[in-house]
């Protein structure tokens, strides 16, 4: 029997960014024979493995449009495609695979002997991040495959999580990112100091990530309906990292109608993209006032005024939620934490994942709620006046969605320990 042990060098977090180097230690161990067992021949002592390879696979499991996805797979450039793909009984198709790296050929191990190999691979930049959605799933596996003489190919899969690489989307963002380095270039050169090496792609992406998520530019939104003003909503910034808190305020002092109840939900929208849809689709065009329910999974469609065009189906998943009865309040605060296990904003040929804040305002024009004693109760008449809530209130629910952008965070800030994976070949 031969035991295969695989473990990532970064054991505290099995999370990597696109373009980052993944390192994995792979041990091939032949356990010692029991003391009471006597070897009859040399074949009882030595264990022989014919070969062993390692690859990084990106899988795509889509439960819709299977025919088009298989046709698209034939046109994709799947590097390093080998017969090993047929031996992996994993769900979905191989979207991308790195070139296989051969660890050894014809390895012989005596009892108690072990061989250790280091596997290093760069996560491709053109692949999607890890995502486990409703209809589309992307996931990554490090596949260690080997074959013993006279037996079938066996594979050991080590899962990793991949985050998208944040890069500047415009020349202005790139100029802001490089602003700090431009000042250093103007300083006089010191011949006694070592020359500063240029930043790597990962360091450049993390620097841009800190800059784009640290900008605080408050945005104010006046919330109105047909009866008047409800209040003013203030969002301090529109770009966030995984693990951050979305902090906002709502001012009801400028409203002309009463807001009885408030609900704010952080939602992830998964939009299926048809092959015939236009590539100029933007994230902000889909978020308008709607009258649909805020369930965990909601089906909606776009381009209703064009029946001949294929519709893009969207599904909504709820995460953090803030619920508050705000009758009589002048101001309130909304805090929504962003979970670390979710996937940031991204887009592929099959799906587009975007984020939004979904609001539900329960308003009322009841005259009994507009009494002065509800807002102004001085100490002189506090003991004399007693306000009785009405039995029935005529309410109206208003729904609004505000798009936001969620970026990844540094991989080491996501605690996702990677254990040791084992495979026994008998």
């Amino acid at each position: 029997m031969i035991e295969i042990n695989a473990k990532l060098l970064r054991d505290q977090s099995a999370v990597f960014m696109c373009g980052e180097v993944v390192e994995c230690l792979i041990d091939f161990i032949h356990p010692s024979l029991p003391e009471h067992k006597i070897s009859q021949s040399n074949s009882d002592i030595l264990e022989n493995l014919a070969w062993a390879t390692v690859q990084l696979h990106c899988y795509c499991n889509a439960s819709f449009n299977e025919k088009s996805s298989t046709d698209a797979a034939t046109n994709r450039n799947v590097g390093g495609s080998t017969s090993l793909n047929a031996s992996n009984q994993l769900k979905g198709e191989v979207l991308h695979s790195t070139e296989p790296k051969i660890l050894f050929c014809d390895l012989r191990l005596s009892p108690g002997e072990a061989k250790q190999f280091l596997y290093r691979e760069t996560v491709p930049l053109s692949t999607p991040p890890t995502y486990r959605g409703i209809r589309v799933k992307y996931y990554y596996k490090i596949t260690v495959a080997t074959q013993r003489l006279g037996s079938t190919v066996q594979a050991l899969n080590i899962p990793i999580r991949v985050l998208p690489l944040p890069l500047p989307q415009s020349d202005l963002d790139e100029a802001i990112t490089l602003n700090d380095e431009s000042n250093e270039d103007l300083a006089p050169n010191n011949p006694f100091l070592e020359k500063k090496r240029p930043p790597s792609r990962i360091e450049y992406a993390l620097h841009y990530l800190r800059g784009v998520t640290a900008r605080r530019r408050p945005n104010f939104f006046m919330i109105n309906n047909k009866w008047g003003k409800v209040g003013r909503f203030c969002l301090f910034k529109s770009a966030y990292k995984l693990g951050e808190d979305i902090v906002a305020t709502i001012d009801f002092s400028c409203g002309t109608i009463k807001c009885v109840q408030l609900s704010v939900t952080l939602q992830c929208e998964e939009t299926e993209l048809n092959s015939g849809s236009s590539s100029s689709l933007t994230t902000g065009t889909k978020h308008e006032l709607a009258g649909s329910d805020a369930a965990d999974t909601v089906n909606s469609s776009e381009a209703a005024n064009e029946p001949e065009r294929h519709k893009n189906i969207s599904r909504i998943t709820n995460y953090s939620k803030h619920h508050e009865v705000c009758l009589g309040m002048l101001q309130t605060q909304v805090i929504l934490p962003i979970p670390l296990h979710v996937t940031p904003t991204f887009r592929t040929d099959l799906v587009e994942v975007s984020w939004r804040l979904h609001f539900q305002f329960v308003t009322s024009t009841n005259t009994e709620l507009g009494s002065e004693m509800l807002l102004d109760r001085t100490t002189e008449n506090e003991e004399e006046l007693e306000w009785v809530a009405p039995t029935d209130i005529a309410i109206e629910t208003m729904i609004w969605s505000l798009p936001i952008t969620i970026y990844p965070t540094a991989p080491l800030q996501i605690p996702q320990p990677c254990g040791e994976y084992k495979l026994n070949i008998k």
Side-chain angles (χ1 to χ4, degrees):
M1 183 185 74
I2 292 183
E3 181 179 333
I4 303 177
N5 298 333
K7 186 178 181 181
L8 297 176
L9 284 183
R10 187 195 291 177
D11 54 353
Q12 68 272 20
S13 178
V15 183
F16 301 88
M17 276 190 175
C18 291
E20 197 172 1
V21 177
V22 181
E23 296 180 331
C24 181
L25 281 178
I26 306 170
D27 296 323
F28 294 84
I29 305 173
H30 184 192
S32 302
L33 294 174
E35 296 181 357
H36 63 276
K37 184 176 180 180
I38 302 176
S39 300
Q40 301 297 329
S41 63
N42 191 34
S43 61
D44 295 339
I45 299 177
L46 296 179
E47 287 284 355
N48 195 347
L49 290 178
W51 55 269
T53 62
V54 191
Q55 281 180 277
L56 177 61
H57 290 90
C58 174
Y59 293 89
C60 174
N61 184 15
S63 58
F64 68 93
N65 207 6
E66 296 180 355
K67 183 178 179 180
S68 62
S69 61
T70 54
D71 295 341
T74 58
N75 299 327
R76 293 190 187 103
N77 183 16
V78 182
S81 178
T82 63
S83 59
L84 176 62
N85 297 335
S87 64
N88 282 340
Q89 303 298 326
L90 298 177
K91 293 183 179 180
E93 62 177 13
V94 178
L95 187 65
H96 188 89
S97 62
T98 59
E99 293 291 337
K101 294 188 177 181
I102 301 176
L103 298 182
F104 59 81
C105 290
D106 193 15
L107 177 65
R108 296 185 180 183
L109 297 176
S110 58
E113 187 180 1
K115 290 288 185 181
Q116 187 177 76
F117 300 90
L118 176 62
Y119 172 70
R120 300 181 79 255
E121 186 60 74
T122 302
V123 182
L125 292 172
S126 59
T127 54
T130 301
Y131 175 66
R132 297 189 178 274
I134 302 174
R135 299 290 299 276
V136 182
K137 294 177 175 61
Y138 295 106
Y139 60 96
Y140 288 78
K141 301 282 186 180
I142 298 176
T143 305
V144 182
T146 186
Q147 185 176 16
R148 188 180 181 184
L149 291 179
S151 61
T152 60
V153 177
Q154 301 190 44
L156 174 63
N157 296 309
I158 302 99
I160 63 172
R161 180 185 175 188
V162 175
L163 298 175
L165 187 68
L167 293 176
Q169 302 297 325
S170 62
D171 296 337
L172 178 61
D173 292 339
E174 187 173 2
I176 295 175
T177 305
L178 299 177
N179 188 23
D180 297 336
E181 299 178 1
S182 61
N183 294 332
E184 296 180 0
D185 295 339
L186 298 177
N189 295 327
N190 190 341
F192 299 100
L193 295 178
E194 295 183 0
K195 187 177 181 181
K196 185 179 179 181
R197 63 176 182 85
S200 63
R201 184 184 293 269
I202 301 298
E203 294 174 346
Y204 177 74
L206 293 178
H207 183 70
Y208 166 73
L209 180 63
R210 287 191 297 267
V212 73
T213 57
R215 301 176 196 166
R216 297 176 63 89
R217 188 180 63 181
N219 297 318
F220 296 90
F221 303 88
M222 189 62 68
I223 304 166
N224 303 329
N225 63 3
K226 62 182 180 180
W227 303 109
K229 296 181 181 179
V230 179
R232 189 177 68 166
F233 176 73
C234 176
L235 185 65
F236 297 104
K237 60 180 183 177
S238 59
Y240 299 89
K241 293 187 297 183
L242 295 179
E244 275 191 318
D245 290 339
I246 301 175
V247 181
T249 59
I250 301 179
D251 185 11
F252 297 109
S253 61
C254 58
T256 58
I257 60 174
K258 298 299 178 185
C259 183
V260 181
Q261 188 173 279
L262 168 68
S263 176
V264 186
T265 308
L266 176 63
Q267 293 183 343
C268 176
E269 183 178 10
E270 176 185 302
T271 305
E272 301 173 9
L273 302 179
N274 295 311
S275 58
S277 61
S278 176
S279 59
S280 61
L281 179 67
T282 57
T283 308
T285 58
K286 302 188 295 300
H287 307 282
E288 301 292 341
L289 292 177
S292 57
D293 269 344
D296 284 343
T297 303
V298 179
N299 295 336
S300 61
S301 60
E302 294 181 354
N305 55 348
E306 300 180 10
E308 69 278 359
R309 179 183 174 184
H310 294 286
K311 295 180 179 179
N312 294 329
I313 302 176
S314 298
R315 289 174 172 82
I316 303 299
T317 304
N318 293 342
Y319 287 96
S320 306
K321 186 175 183 179
H322 174 87
H323 182 271
E324 188 175 10
V325 177
C326 52
L327 180 62
M329 290 186 178
L330 295 179
Q331 288 183 347
T332 186
Q333 188 180 33
V334 177
I335 300 178
L336 292 174
I338 302 176
L340 287 171
H341 66 274
V342 300
T343 304
T345 305
F346 77 98
R347 174 174 175 162
T348 61
D349 295 336
L350 295 179
V351 68
E352 180 182 8
V353 176
S354 57
W355 291 86
R356 67 184 188 181
L357 297 177
H358 187 72
F359 296 83
Q360 282 187 339
F361 297 95
V362 179
T363 61
S364 177
T365 56
N366 198 323
T367 57
E368 298 182 16
L369 299 180
S371 178
E372 293 297 331
M373 66 182 67
L374 186 61
L375 298 177
D376 186 13
R377 296 185 61 181
T378 60
T379 57
E380 298 177 356
N381 59 1
E382 186 175 1
E383 298 179 357
E384 301 175 2
L385 297 179
E386 181 179 356
W387 182 75
V388 180
T391 306
D392 297 324
I393 301 177
I395 63 172
E396 182 178 339
T397 302
M398 183 177 64
I399 296 177
W400 175 48
S401 296
L402 177 65
I404 61 173
T405 304
I406 294 183
Y407 288 90
T409 186
L412 292 178
Q413 295 182 359
I414 302 179
Q416 187 176 332
C418 177
E420 189 173 358
Y421 295 86
K422 297 183 179 181
L423 174 64
N424 294 326
I425 301 177
K426 298 181 180 180

